[in-house]
Amino acid sequence: MNAPRRRADATENRARILQAAREVIANADEVRLNEIAKRAGVGQGTLYRHFPTREALLAEVYRNDVDDLVAAAPRLLAEHAPLPALAAWLDRVAEYAKVKREVFAALEVGVWQDLSAHSLGPIGETLTRLLDAGKAEGVIRPDVDARDVILLIGYLTRLEPAEWDARAHHLLRVILDGLRRHT
């Protein structure tokens, strides 16, 4: 049986709520639902109708970011050579990691573990696709795999908010340089 269709205005409200939540998560010290509703231009009742708990909203923001990150790889590979595609994807990873860090900080351990398990498979598969394209072109070292890169980008969880802008993208470029095949 198919799920009931949402009205167009309900779909728009949901999208605005998710976008507002993402902005608040990325830019505020505290995630407050009333601030999210205000930024989205909806009432509290509308927010709670779509997301009955704070955890449900934060989890959906996180899931959307994972889905967007995974969906970006094929587009990037279609538009760029493998190495620039990987570089652009790593830039997206930095933004994803910034939001992920804040979401995980705001969630209970059980929800955090479920979300973490949700992201590792699709992100690892996407990274493998990007790496394989670079290996096929001869620009990525043949001895690296997705797990290597995931372990390396784990540093993003260690960055302090005050140093994020100065270090996140710079260190991803250092990793990218290390992934290059040197002849």
Side-chain angles (χ1 to χ4, degrees), residues 6-178:
R6 283 197 181 114
R7 294 184 342 232
D9 62 329
T11 299
E12 290 171 16
N13 285 342
R14 182 179 176 85
R16 284 199 321 270
I17 291 167
L18 287 169
Q19 181 59 38
R22 191 176 193 291
E23 290 168 6
V24 168
I25 291 165
N27 298 312
D29 292 333
E30 184 180 351
V31 177
R32 298 179 53 180
L33 295 182
N34 60 344
E35 174 63 20
I36 292 169
K38 183 178 175 183
R39 280 191 190 208
V42 301
Q44 294 278 9
T46 299
L47 186 143
Y48 282 107
R49 205 168 17 263
H50 288 280
F51 304 100
T53 65
R54 181 173 182 255
E55 287 77 18
L57 174 58
L58 295 175
E60 189 63 20
V61 167
Y62 177 79
R63 283 188 199 99
N64 280 352
D65 279 1
V66 168
D67 292 346
D68 290 347
L69 191 59
V70 169
R75 285 192 309 270
L76 291 168
L77 283 169
E79 297 170 8
H80 305 284
L83 202 57
L86 179 58
W89 190 79
L90 287 173
D91 284 340
R92 290 174 180 252
V93 166
E95 296 310 310
Y96 154 81
K98 186 175 186 180
V99 170
K100 174 184 170 182
R101 176 183 171 143
E102 299 303 321
V103 168
F104 280 10
L107 291 174
E108 294 179 21
V109 172
V111 176
W112 177 89
Q113 289 170 338
D114 288 345
L115 287 177
S116 183
H118 168 79
S119 67
L120 286 179
I123 289 175
E125 292 165 9
T126 301
L127 192 47
T128 296
R129 182 177 184 173
L130 288 160
L131 291 172
D132 286 350
K135 289 175 186 179
E137 195 170 280
V139 295
I140 297 290
R141 295 169 48 155
D143 63 333
V144 297
D145 62 20
R147 177 81 175 137
D148 294 333
V149 178
I150 289 170
L151 289 170
L152 288 169
I153 63 177
Y155 79 87
L156 290 168
T157 64
R158 303 267 190 199
L159 291 177
E160 297 295 328
E163 63 184 343
W164 186 271
D165 290 336
R167 295 193 183 271
H169 293 279
H170 168 72
L171 291 173
L172 284 171
R173 292 292 170 258
V174 171
I175 291 170
L176 186 63
D177 286 344

